[in-house]
Amino acid sequence: MKNKIKAKNKEIVLSGMAVSPGIAIGSVFVFRTMKINVQELQAEVADPKQEWDLFNKAVKKVVQQLDIAQAASQKQYGDEFTEIFESQKTFLDDVALLEEIQQEIELSASSAPFAVSKILSEKTDYFINMENTYFRERAYDIMDLKQKLIYSLLGIDFDYNLSSPSIVVAEMLSPSDTVQFNRNFILGFLTDQGGKTSHTAIMARGLQIPAVVNGYTLSKLIVPGSTVILDGFTGTIVINPRPATIERYKALQEEHEQFNRELQKEIALPSVTPDGQHITLMANIEFAHELSDVTKNKAEGVGLFRTESVFIEKKDLPSEQEQFEIYKQAAEQIAPLPLTVRTIDLGGDKFLDNYSAEDELNPFLGWRAIRFCLDEPEIFNMQLRAILRASVFGNIHILLPMISSVDEVIRTKEYLEEVRQELTEKGIAFKADIPLGIMIETPAAAMLTGILADYVDYFSIGTNDLTQYVLAIDRTNDRVAKSYNTFNPAVLAFIAKTIETGKLRGKPVTLCGEYAAVSEAVPLLLGMGLRNFSMNPHLIAKVKKIVRIFDIESCENLYEKVKELHTAGAIEQYCKNFFKSKVPDLKFLS
Ligand code: PEP
Ligand code: MG
């Protein structure tokens, strides 16, 4: 596809990655496609001091732009996206980063745009090569800042003016771009780059706007004004659709909208199976601002607060006080519902600048999560102190990641005891009976649940990692992705063992990996005896609908059948067929 795709050309169907569900049909608004060759700007500058001044002016301008975007966001969406802007501004305030850019300008006589491009590209590369999707996709925030600074230095402004309902097409969209468009005119997003956990995707899902990542360079190929269809369920992109195709998708769109209206009406209904079993549906969050979604979707608490974001957004260690404020506010906001704070899961290649490990051959099997924390008492104690201090403001639970031995739990309890003594001596209040739980995400932990039950109050099954470790399949490696399947009977056996032990020993078990919201997996998990699920807050309405359809007895029968099957493929297919047999007409659920 080297040439521009002409309007009124014949219909072209492409497949991309669906990142936010829904159907969008409309003409395209192509946003900011101008490509700047920064290399061409690298003339040796005569006056580095002047370049440095220009750079500082550009930083001020970009901060102003971010303030404006933040205000627009506040007006349209409340506090929902505040932290994203704050973290971008914090990045522009980072003394070490500013020094690096200054050095590039002064020592290499680089132009300000070139220095910005060079240094921020290095930062982007650092983040984009990380294994963890969350960190990898923070690279897009830095790319956005880079572009904004360069455009500001070159005096280029953007056009956010949507004057009619349109599908916004862009190479990449940042949160600050996204919120400047008039929400009423955005039909969908089609970006060249991004992923399921990029901020645009997260925002699109939050705003219920269909979004597809195309994986090509469509932002440069689509002619503005062409008609496009985005299928946010399958990732299909239709350019210049035929009238019959438009009709087909319009019908699907109407059906989906109707479905959503019904689902929203049901959000306050109890989460109970037809035979009266209550199922607890909780939310996973990464940022405190997501708590509004938790409340909106009637989650029964936060089953997983991934605190890595608190650390990575600072790019350095957040102080105890900073952490305390975050945990306290979050706990207060959802009290009396539980806030499950998971201690940091940094490690492998996800370290903070000053705490990087030597290069590891197998970072996922390396110095990660609880292993890192136990070796870095200062960092661990600081987080534990902040959590304990916040505990009096709500219903906090503590969750430990990546446990693979009883020793790790014993040692953590010693740390906790130390922190308790310290706080007591200082007369600082904390709750004495904070529930302590562990993630079951290694085969060792699942095998040891019978013993671990003596030491902890609850289990939380992390199927994302558990699948990876049970099957010895790197979940980030595309070449083996087809075998990464939680329906594999080996993984299911570990899940079943954990649920069984929990029941036997009176320890609540939650499942907080992505599998908790896989439609076809929900009846199977119910059949295995799982009663607590935690997931992206926007998926709660869907899972509640499923819970209200399937009675426990039929789910238990399903599980009995599944036990007779030998392969992941056969089990997955069986669960799909079972699901369809009960809900033949509810295609948006699966
Ligand atoms: C998991 O591994 O399933 C999990 C919930 O933890 P994370 O995705 O943060 O590794
Ligand atoms: Mg995990």
Side-chain angles (χ1 to χ4, degrees):
M1 277 194 297
K2 285 208 191 85
N3 302 319
K4 279 241 174 201
I5 299 170
K6 295 258 164 49
K8 300 194 181 59
N9 258 359
K10 67 177 178 30
E11 179 175 290
I12 299 170
V13 180
L14 300 168
S15 64
M17 183 192 353
V19 295
S20 178
I23 305 287
I25 306 169
S27 63
V28 302
F29 174 88
V30 181
F31 176 66
R32 205 212 287 174
T33 54
M34 205 180 322
K35 191 96 186 133
I36 291 162
N37 186 345
V38 178
Q39 291 299 334
E40 285 174 6
L41 300 169
Q42 175 52 346
E44 212 170 278
V45 292
D47 186 356
K49 161 102 185 48
Q50 192 187 353
E51 289 300 303
W52 176 239
D53 288 346
L54 286 173
F55 169 75
N56 281 308
K57 279 193 192 128
V59 170
K60 268 199 191 127
K61 192 169 165 200
V62 171
V63 170
Q64 267 171 10
Q65 286 171 353
L66 289 168
D67 283 337
I68 292 168
Q70 190 169 346
S73 168
Q74 186 75 30
K75 214 162 133 205
Q76 288 200 66
Y77 311 115
D79 283 340
E80 202 155 345
F81 306 121
T82 305
E83 267 178 53
I84 298 173
F85 297 105
E86 290 299 333
S87 83
Q88 279 195 312
K89 282 189 275 182
T90 306
F91 199 80
L92 286 178
D93 208 21
D94 181 343
V95 178
L97 173 80
L98 298 181
E99 272 175 15
E100 269 185 77
I101 293 177
Q102 187 173 18
Q103 278 194 0
E104 175 63 34
I105 291 174
E106 288 179 355
L107 302 181
S108 310
S110 294
S111 69
F114 183 83
V116 167
S117 175
K118 179 169 181 252
I119 303 297
L120 292 196
S121 297
E122 283 168 12
K123 301 279 170 216
T124 308
D125 290 348
Y126 171 74
F127 278 94
I128 219 146
N129 286 323
M130 290 185 166
E131 302 278 355
N132 178 291
T133 358
Y134 168 77
F135 296 111
R136 202 163 55 231
E137 285 172 355
R138 297 296 70 78
Y140 296 120
D141 294 347
I142 302 169
M143 271 151 89
D144 175 54
L145 284 177
K146 181 178 86 176
Q147 244 187 343
K148 280 195 166 65
L149 285 167
I150 293 173
Y151 277 56
S152 168
L153 283 163
L154 300 179
I156 299 166
D157 286 324
F158 315 124
D159 178 11
Y160 294 101
N161 271 330
L162 286 183
S163 49
S164 58
S166 309
I167 291 173
V168 177
V169 180
E171 184 180 351
M172 186 193 81
L173 281 169
S174 69
S176 53
D177 292 331
T178 310
V179 296
Q180 303 223 23
F181 297 109
N182 181 339
R183 164 73 185 90
N184 296 322
F185 286 149
I186 310 172
L187 297 176
F189 293 121
L190 175 60
T191 57
D192 297 346
Q193 298 172 23
K196 284 194 175 163
T197 52
S198 66
H199 277 141
T200 311
I202 294 167
M203 286 173 100
R205 285 197 294 274
L207 303 170
Q208 300 190 312
I209 295 171
V212 174
V213 175
N214 65 66
Y216 306 95
T217 51
L218 286 186
S219 66
K220 298 188 185 61
L221 299 171
I222 289 185
V223 174
S226 320
T227 301
V228 164
I229 295 173
L230 297 186
D231 184 336
F233 298 104
T234 62
T236 303
I237 305 154
V238 190
I239 303 169
N240 306 317
R242 283 192 296 265
T245 313
I246 294 181
E247 282 316 305
R248 187 157 48 87
Y249 274 99
K250 271 194 175 155
L252 193 62
Q253 189 179 42
E254 174 48 37
E255 216 181 315
H256 179 234
E257 283 166 5
Q258 178 64 24
F259 172 78
N260 268 343
R261 283 193 288 274
E262 294 300 320
L263 209 55
Q264 258 350 89
K265 276 190 220 157
E266 294 171 11
I267 193 74
L269 290 177
S271 172
V272 176
T273 60
D275 46 351
Q277 174 65 55
H278 174 257
I279 304 298
T280 306
L281 302 181
M282 293 185 287
N284 294 351
I285 60 167
E286 283 176 14
F287 302 95
H289 69 75
E290 290 173 281
L291 283 168
S292 54
D293 293 329
V294 176
T295 319
K296 242 186 275 167
N297 289 287
K298 309 278 185 229
E300 292 185 58
V302 170
L304 173 64
F305 179 11
R306 292 178 165 105
T307 56
E308 297 82 75
S309 59
V310 176
F311 286 69
I312 208 76
E313 285 202 324
K314 286 285 298 175
K315 278 192 83 250
D316 203 351
L317 290 182
S319 68
E320 180 186 321
Q321 187 60 22
E322 281 168 326
Q323 291 190 60
F324 163 70
E325 296 287 348
I326 293 170
Y327 308 145
K328 168 182 178 273
Q329 215 182 357
E332 272 176 342
Q333 204 174 326
I334 63 156
L337 298 172
L339 177 80
T340 309
V341 181
R342 186 175 72 182
T343 57
I344 42 172
D345 188 358
L346 290 172
D349 58 350
K350 296 171 286 171
F351 284 97
L352 302 168
D353 283 353
N354 297 332
Y355 291 88
S356 50
E358 295 295 310
D359 274 353
E360 293 184 312
L361 209 51
N362 294 302
F364 272 101
L365 305 180
W367 200 45
R368 179 187 165 187
I370 196 71
R371 303 167 187 181
F372 165 74
C373 284
L374 290 172
D375 285 353
E376 294 289 341
E378 237 177 85
I379 297 177
F380 198 24
N381 277 344
M382 199 195 288
Q383 185 173 36
L384 293 176
R385 261 196 314 269
I387 298 173
L388 256 65
R389 284 173 54 199
S391 67
V392 288
F393 296 93
N395 180 9
I396 287 186
H397 297 189
I398 298 177
L399 180 60
L400 309 174
M402 264 288 278
I403 291 293
S404 58
S405 75
V406 178
D407 291 329
E408 289 160 343
V409 181
I410 293 174
R411 288 187 59 206
T412 300
K413 289 178 115 173
E414 287 167 2
Y415 278 88
L416 268 170
E417 196 40 47
E418 227 175 86
V419 169
R420 278 193 198 105
Q421 272 177 21
E422 208 183 315
L423 292 178
T424 309
E425 277 161 25
K426 289 187 181 155
I428 298 172
F430 61 90
K431 269 194 185 164
D433 54 352
I434 306 173
L436 176 70
I438 52 171
M439 295 285 293
I440 302 296
E441 50 187 352
T442 65
M447 286 304 287
L448 291 175
T449 43
I451 300 170
L452 286 162
D454 285 344
Y455 296 83
V456 299
D457 300 307
Y458 66 97
F459 298 131
S460 190
I461 307 174
T463 42
N464 306 342
D465 275 319
L466 186 63
T467 308
Q468 154 167 271
Y469 293 130
V470 170
L471 301 178
I473 292 177
D474 180 344
R475 76 196 212 199
T476 63
N477 183 340
D478 288 343
R479 292 179 85 168
V480 288
K482 59 180 182 302
S483 305
Y484 176 94
N485 189 341
T486 307
F487 284 100
N488 188 300
V491 186
L492 295 179
F494 283 102
I495 297 174
K497 179 171 172 52
T498 306
I499 297 171
E500 229 165 82
T501 311
K503 200 169 160 191
L504 219 62
R505 305 292 301 276
K507 306 285 173 184
V509 177
T510 300
L511 194 147
C512 65
E514 301 301 301
Y515 197 60
V518 171
S519 299
E520 297 82 1
V522 173
L524 178 63
L525 291 168
L526 290 174
M528 291 165 104
L530 188 75
R531 298 293 177 258
N532 308 299
F533 294 65
S534 192
M535 66 202 71
N536 177 316
H538 299 294
L539 297 172
I540 289 178
K542 177 189 88 164
V543 174
K544 188 183 284 184
K545 177 113 190 150
I546 297 170
V547 162
R548 292 177 57 83
I549 291 172
F550 291 90
D551 61 273
I552 296 292
E553 197 185 334
S554 68
C555 293
E556 284 171 352
N557 292 339
L558 165 72
Y559 179 42
E560 286 307 313
K561 276 276 171 212
V562 160
K563 278 197 229 168
E564 293 166 14
L565 303 173
H566 296 175
T567 66
I571 296 174
E572 185 170 7
Q573 195 52 51
Y574 195 88
C575 289
K576 279 189 170 155
N577 292 344
F578 175 80
F579 191 86
K580 275 198 198 123
S581 70
K582 294 270 179 183
V583 280
D585 54 338
L586 293 177
K587 59 173 156 293
F588 302 115
L589 276 184
S590 62

